[in-house]
């Protein structure tokens, strides 16, 4: 019982982080039609910023989180302007370009941090919250949960309540019709990837003290993001958030009982299953051609 | 006249292929063998992409072939004459099974679905120490010995690989130029039209996927018999990305495009050997630049030059013969 409750808590916290980067992937795919294979590397860039500026250079954690978000947003904007905009009519070309970017970001990380063992960032918020005498939640994880929920709520507000958010959703639904309505596609693409990359950077910054940091950490991130995106339904943001939480719970439990590799295998099989049975995902709507 | 020129070019290529290992040092002979095998990898991948679907499981299929050959060799001491075709057949069988879930999807979904399926297979190799040996993989596979010829040496093995790969390339070329190959093209460019005249697109996509996997399985067996070891990471997404790069930089509209891509990029790769740390980034930059400025790949350069000199606009048809 204690183990189960503890796993649920851990899963929920993990789910918040999954949702942060998966939502970005969904937005970029929805608005620009391109699968950003370098999304995991954006998370990695966020984590590396924390490691370099905070753990190495001694800058405060919170300012560094802001720097990480800004930096990764900038990387995203550059990718949009120089990679995705020229290849907009060819989704495969955009995908290939993002793979090229993946290599470049990994090498930059290697040059900054060097090869060798994974880096650790010591927890900033010491102490552990103890509930009911047996549930232990490190404050660092609580911080990550609070910030990711806040970011997701802000994103929801932006998309649901602001004009710009409506424009963004309109472009995701139908790019040409939106352009005819006078929506500036380039600007909306910039916003989509800016927000998407920024959230990936935030996820990386929040994960930094909780995980091992190395140039190849993006690999697991992108696998998770794909699973979450597919299970949630491609193009559905609420689906992605729900799927992120469900998948995180699933993954946490599988890891506890069967180990990490089996957990990832079953996650991948789950995704293939969803693709077979309900390709539109749990929250997706069928888009007619 | 054309025929004559072609035969002469073919003859020159053949002679170069036959004598080239004798002018190389050991390290480059090694590389030559890998290059020969990789030519088969990209050529078989092209068959899969003929239907317009880009799979991300091709590298893992090569691994299936490699693991098949390894397990057959280590457990039953079966020679290469047996492991090579069996590796191909088993890859094809796995591909056939995967067709049922994967080919229900197209485009983005197929890409992600094939990636997931491949990653699941690869994680199975990591998870089950017996028989796959986990992350460390398996080792101890050796090339055959026929009489006095020890295929452990690069030069004999090169000739062996060259023979196998040439046969496979010939078959792949014949398939592409056959009625089946033309139908695959039609499935890519005009799927609804093809269906309207009675082409079962699912069956042809399955056929391309299974046949491509068969040939890449052979490539996997060829590789493992030379290097002797196999690990799950050799066939991860990293290698898959290299396959994509070779095919795209070379140009995927023509049969020889990917082959040019793999040859040119392997030589390029060798020329930047001193910069090991930043090599992936150079690759990434080359990939991006070629997508942005040479979307049809290296094979389109001659046509472009021609157009530039003669001054006429060369229209690149998507479906080309020669």
């Amino acid at each position: 019982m204690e183990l189960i409750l503890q796993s649920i808590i851990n899963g929920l916290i993990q789910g918040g982080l999954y949702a942060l980067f998966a939502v970005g992937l969904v937005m970029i795919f929805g608005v620009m039609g391109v699968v950003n294979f370098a999304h995991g590397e954006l998370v990695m860039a966020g984590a590396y910023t924390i490691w370099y500026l905070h753990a190495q250079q001694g800058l405060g954690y919170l300012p560094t989180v802001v720097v990480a978000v800004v930096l990764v947003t900038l990387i995203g904007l550059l990718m949009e302007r120089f990679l995705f905009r020229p290849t907009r009519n060819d989704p495969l070309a955009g995908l290939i370009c993002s793979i090229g970017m993946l290599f470049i970001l990994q090498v930059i990380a290697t040059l900054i941090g060097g090869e060798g063992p994974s880096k650790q960032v010591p927890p900033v918020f010491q102490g552990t919250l103890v509930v009911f005498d047996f549930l232990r939640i490190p404050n660092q994880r609580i911080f990550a949960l609070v910030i990711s929920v806040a970011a997701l709520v802000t994103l929801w507000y932006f998309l649901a309540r602001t004009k710009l958010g409506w424009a963004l959703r309109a472009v995701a639904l139908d790019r040409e019709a939106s352009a005819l309505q006078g929506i500036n596609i380039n600007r909306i693409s910039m916003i989509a990837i800016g927000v998407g990359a920024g959230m990936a950077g935030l996820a990386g910054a929040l994960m930094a003290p909780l995980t091992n940091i190395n140039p190849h950490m993006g690999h697991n991130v992108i696998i998770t993001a794909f699973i979450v995106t597919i299970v949630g339904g491609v193009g559905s943001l609420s689906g992605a958030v729900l799927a992120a939480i469900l998948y995180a719970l699933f993954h946490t439990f599988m890891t506890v009982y069967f180990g990490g590799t089996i957990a990832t295998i079953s996650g991948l099989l789950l995704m293939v299953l969803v693709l077979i049975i309900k390709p539109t995902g749990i929250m997706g709507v069928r888009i007619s051609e | 006249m054309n025929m004559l020129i072609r035969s002469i070019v073919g003859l020159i290529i053949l002679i170069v292929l036959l004598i080239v290992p004798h002018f190389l040092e050991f390290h480059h002979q090694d590389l030559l063998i890998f290059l020969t095998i990789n030519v088969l990898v990209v050529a078989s991948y092209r068959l899969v992409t003929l239907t317009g679907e880009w799979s991300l499981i091709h590298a893992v299929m090569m691994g299936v072939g490699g693991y098949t050959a390894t397990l057959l060799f280590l457990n039953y001491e079966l020679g290469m004459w047996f492991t090579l075709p069996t590796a191909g057949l088993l890859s094809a069988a796995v591909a056939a099974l995967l067709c049922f879930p994967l080919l229900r999807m197209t485009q983005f979904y197929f890409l992600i679905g094939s990636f997931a399926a491949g990653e699941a297979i690869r994680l199975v190799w990591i998870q089950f120490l017996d028989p796959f040996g986990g992350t460390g993989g398996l080792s101890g596979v050796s090339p055959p010995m026929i009489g006095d010829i020890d295929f452990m040496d690069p030069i004999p093995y090169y000739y062996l690989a060259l023979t196998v790969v040439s046969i496979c390339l010939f078959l792949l070329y014949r398939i592409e130029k056959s009625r089946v190959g033309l139908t695959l093209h039609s499935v890519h460019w005009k799927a609804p039209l093809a269906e309207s005249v009675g082409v079962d697109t699912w069956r042809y996509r399955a056929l391309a996927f299974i046949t491509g996997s068969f040939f890449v399985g052979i490539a996997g067996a060829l590789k493992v018999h030379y290097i002797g070891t196999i690990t799950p990471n050799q066939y991860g997404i990293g290698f898959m990305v290299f396959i994509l790069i070779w095919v795209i930089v070379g140009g995927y509209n023509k049969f020889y495009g990917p082959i040019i891509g793999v040859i040119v990029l392997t030589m390029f790769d060798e020329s930047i050997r001193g910069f090991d740390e930043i090599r992936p980034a150079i690759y990434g930059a080359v990939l991006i630049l070629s997508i942005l400025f040479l979307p049809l790949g290296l094979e389109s350069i001659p046509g472009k030059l021609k157009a530039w000199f003669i001054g006429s606009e060369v229209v690149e048809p998507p479906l080309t013969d020669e």
Side-chain angles (χ1 to χ4, degrees), chain A residues 220-239:
Chain A
N220 281 331
V221 171
I222 196 75
I223 290 183
T224 308
F226 279 158
I227 295 175
V228 167
T229 311
I230 297 284
V231 173
V234 179
S236 161
L237 287 174
S238 46

mmCIF file of all heavy atoms in Angstrom, chain A residues 220-239:
data_model
loop_
_atom_site.group_PDB
_atom_site.id
_atom_site.type_symbol
_atom_site.label_atom_id
_atom_site.label_comp_id
_atom_site.label_asym_id
_atom_site.label_seq_id
_atom_site.Cartn_x
_atom_site.Cartn_y
_atom_site.Cartn_z
ATOM 1 N N ASN A 220 15.776 9.274 -24.455
ATOM 2 C CA ASN A 220 14.629 8.800 -23.676
ATOM 3 C C ASN A 220 13.494 9.803 -23.690
ATOM 4 O O ASN A 220 12.326 9.435 -23.683
ATOM 5 C CB ASN A 220 15.053 8.524 -22.230
ATOM 6 C CG ASN A 220 15.770 7.204 -22.125
ATOM 7 O OD1 ASN A 220 15.516 6.304 -22.902
ATOM 8 N ND2 ASN A 220 16.683 7.108 -21.170
ATOM 9 N N VAL A 221 13.875 11.078 -23.683
ATOM 10 C CA VAL A 221 12.845 12.116 -23.687
ATOM 11 C C VAL A 221 11.986 12.023 -24.940
ATOM 12 O O VAL A 221 10.758 12.042 -24.877
ATOM 13 C CB VAL A 221 13.495 13.512 -23.587
ATOM 14 C CG1 VAL A 221 12.451 14.594 -23.807
ATOM 15 C CG2 VAL A 221 14.167 13.688 -22.253
ATOM 16 N N ILE A 222 12.647 11.850 -26.100
ATOM 17 C CA ILE A 222 11.865 11.855 -27.341
ATOM 18 C C ILE A 222 11.002 10.599 -27.430
ATOM 19 O O ILE A 222 9.865 10.653 -27.905
ATOM 20 C CB ILE A 222 12.776 12.034 -28.577
ATOM 21 C CG1 ILE A 222 11.967 12.423 -29.806
ATOM 22 C CG2 ILE A 222 13.551 10.786 -28.914
ATOM 23 C CD1 ILE A 222 11.517 13.831 -29.802
ATOM 24 N N ILE A 223 11.507 9.470 -26.920
ATOM 25 C CA ILE A 223 10.680 8.258 -26.918
ATOM 26 C C ILE A 223 9.429 8.495 -26.079
ATOM 27 O O ILE A 223 8.300 8.228 -26.500
ATOM 28 C CB ILE A 223 11.476 7.057 -26.381
ATOM 29 C CG1 ILE A 223 12.551 6.660 -27.390
ATOM 30 C CG2 ILE A 223 10.564 5.869 -26.119
ATOM 31 C CD1 ILE A 223 13.332 5.443 -26.981
ATOM 32 N N THR A 224 9.645 9.032 -24.867
ATOM 33 C CA THR A 224 8.504 9.326 -24.004
ATOM 34 C C THR A 224 7.543 10.291 -24.684
ATOM 35 O O THR A 224 6.322 10.080 -24.685
ATOM 36 C CB THR A 224 9.003 9.950 -22.694
ATOM 37 O OG1 THR A 224 10.006 9.116 -22.137
ATOM 38 C CG2 THR A 224 7.872 10.112 -21.713
ATOM 39 N N ALA A 225 8.097 11.334 -25.290
ATOM 40 C CA ALA A 225 7.236 12.331 -25.920
ATOM 41 C C ALA A 225 6.421 11.720 -27.051
ATOM 42 O O ALA A 225 5.229 12.020 -27.196
ATOM 43 C CB ALA A 225 8.078 13.493 -26.437
ATOM 44 N N PHE A 226 7.038 10.833 -27.829
ATOM 45 C CA PHE A 226 6.290 10.177 -28.905
ATOM 46 C C PHE A 226 5.155 9.339 -28.344
ATOM 47 O O PHE A 226 4.026 9.401 -28.825
ATOM 48 C CB PHE A 226 7.223 9.269 -29.719
ATOM 49 C CG PHE A 226 8.031 10.005 -30.737
ATOM 50 C CD1 PHE A 226 9.201 9.473 -31.228
ATOM 51 C CD2 PHE A 226 7.612 11.242 -31.214
ATOM 52 C CE1 PHE A 226 9.952 10.151 -32.177
ATOM 53 C CE2 PHE A 226 8.362 11.933 -32.151
ATOM 54 C CZ PHE A 226 9.530 11.379 -32.629
ATOM 55 N N ILE A 227 5.476 8.538 -27.320
ATOM 56 C CA ILE A 227 4.442 7.682 -26.742
ATOM 57 C C ILE A 227 3.274 8.522 -26.257
ATOM 58 O O ILE A 227 2.110 8.273 -26.575
ATOM 59 C CB ILE A 227 5.024 6.834 -25.588
ATOM 60 C CG1 ILE A 227 6.066 5.857 -26.123
ATOM 61 C CG2 ILE A 227 3.928 6.071 -24.857
ATOM 62 C CD1 ILE A 227 6.781 5.049 -25.070
ATOM 63 N N VAL A 228 3.624 9.583 -25.510
ATOM 64 C CA VAL A 228 2.578 10.437 -24.945
ATOM 65 C C VAL A 228 1.759 11.082 -26.063
ATOM 66 O O VAL A 228 0.525 11.119 -26.013
ATOM 67 C CB VAL A 228 3.225 11.501 -24.037
ATOM 68 C CG1 VAL A 228 2.235 12.585 -23.696
ATOM 69 C CG2 VAL A 228 3.760 10.854 -22.783
ATOM 70 N N THR A 229 2.450 11.561 -27.096
ATOM 71 C CA THR A 229 1.751 12.229 -28.187
ATOM 72 C C THR A 229 0.782 11.290 -28.886
ATOM 73 O O THR A 229 -0.362 11.644 -29.161
ATOM 74 C CB THR A 229 2.776 12.743 -29.214
ATOM 75 O OG1 THR A 229 3.786 13.446 -28.518
ATOM 76 C CG2 THR A 229 2.126 13.652 -30.207
ATOM 77 N N ILE A 230 1.255 10.069 -29.163
ATOM 78 C CA ILE A 230 0.414 9.122 -29.892
ATOM 79 C C ILE A 230 -0.750 8.667 -29.022
ATOM 80 O O ILE A 230 -1.906 8.661 -29.457
ATOM 81 C CB ILE A 230 1.240 7.897 -30.322
ATOM 82 C CG1 ILE A 230 2.341 8.315 -31.285
ATOM 83 C CG2 ILE A 230 0.348 6.844 -30.926
ATOM 84 C CD1 ILE A 230 1.893 8.605 -32.659
ATOM 85 N N VAL A 231 -0.452 8.309 -27.774
ATOM 86 C CA VAL A 231 -1.523 7.825 -26.899
ATOM 87 C C VAL A 231 -2.546 8.933 -26.678
ATOM 88 O O VAL A 231 -3.748 8.695 -26.657
ATOM 89 C CB VAL A 231 -0.941 7.322 -25.564
ATOM 90 C CG1 VAL A 231 -2.053 6.987 -24.590
ATOM 91 C CG2 VAL A 231 -0.085 6.099 -25.805
ATOM 92 N N GLY A 232 -2.063 10.164 -26.537
ATOM 93 C CA GLY A 232 -2.991 11.271 -26.291
ATOM 94 C C GLY A 232 -3.756 11.679 -27.529
ATOM 95 O O GLY A 232 -4.773 12.357 -27.427
ATOM 96 N N GLY A 233 -3.272 11.298 -28.676
ATOM 97 C CA GLY A 233 -3.928 11.729 -29.903
ATOM 98 C C GLY A 233 -3.156 12.879 -30.505
ATOM 99 O O GLY A 233 -3.059 13.946 -29.893
ATOM 100 N N VAL A 234 -2.614 12.659 -31.689
ATOM 101 C CA VAL A 234 -1.765 13.674 -32.301
ATOM 102 C C VAL A 234 -2.575 14.959 -32.490
ATOM 103 O O VAL A 234 -3.673 14.933 -33.015
ATOM 104 C CB VAL A 234 -1.232 13.189 -33.656
ATOM 105 C CG1 VAL A 234 -0.368 14.260 -34.277
ATOM 106 C CG2 VAL A 234 -0.459 11.912 -33.483
ATOM 107 N N GLY A 235 -2.030 16.057 -32.036
ATOM 108 C CA GLY A 235 -2.706 17.332 -32.224
ATOM 109 C C GLY A 235 -3.629 17.708 -31.082
ATOM 110 O O GLY A 235 -4.216 18.781 -31.084
ATOM 111 N N SER A 236 -3.742 16.832 -30.079
ATOM 112 C CA SER A 236 -4.625 17.168 -28.968
ATOM 113 C C SER A 236 -3.785 17.493 -27.736
ATOM 114 O O SER A 236 -3.098 16.637 -27.200
ATOM 115 C CB SER A 236 -5.556 16.000 -28.672
ATOM 116 O OG SER A 236 -6.086 16.129 -27.368
ATOM 117 N N LEU A 237 -3.848 18.775 -27.307
ATOM 118 C CA LEU A 237 -3.021 19.189 -26.173
ATOM 119 C C LEU A 237 -3.529 18.596 -24.863
ATOM 120 O O LEU A 237 -2.757 18.098 -24.045
ATOM 121 C CB LEU A 237 -2.987 20.707 -26.077
ATOM 122 C CG LEU A 237 -2.143 21.385 -27.152
ATOM 123 C CD1 LEU A 237 -2.282 22.883 -27.067
ATOM 124 C CD2 LEU A 237 -0.694 20.994 -27.017
ATOM 125 N N SER A 238 -4.861 18.628 -24.669
ATOM 126 C CA SER A 238 -5.385 18.066 -23.427
ATOM 127 C C SER A 238 -5.142 16.561 -23.396
ATOM 128 O O SER A 238 -4.832 15.993 -22.336
ATOM 129 C CB SER A 238 -6.875 18.384 -23.302
ATOM 130 O OG SER A 238 -7.521 18.124 -24.523
ATOM 131 N N GLY A 239 -5.248 15.935 -24.580
ATOM 132 C CA GLY A 239 -4.951 14.511 -24.663
ATOM 133 C C GLY A 239 -3.517 14.234 -24.261
ATOM 134 O O GLY A 239 -3.232 13.276 -23.537
#
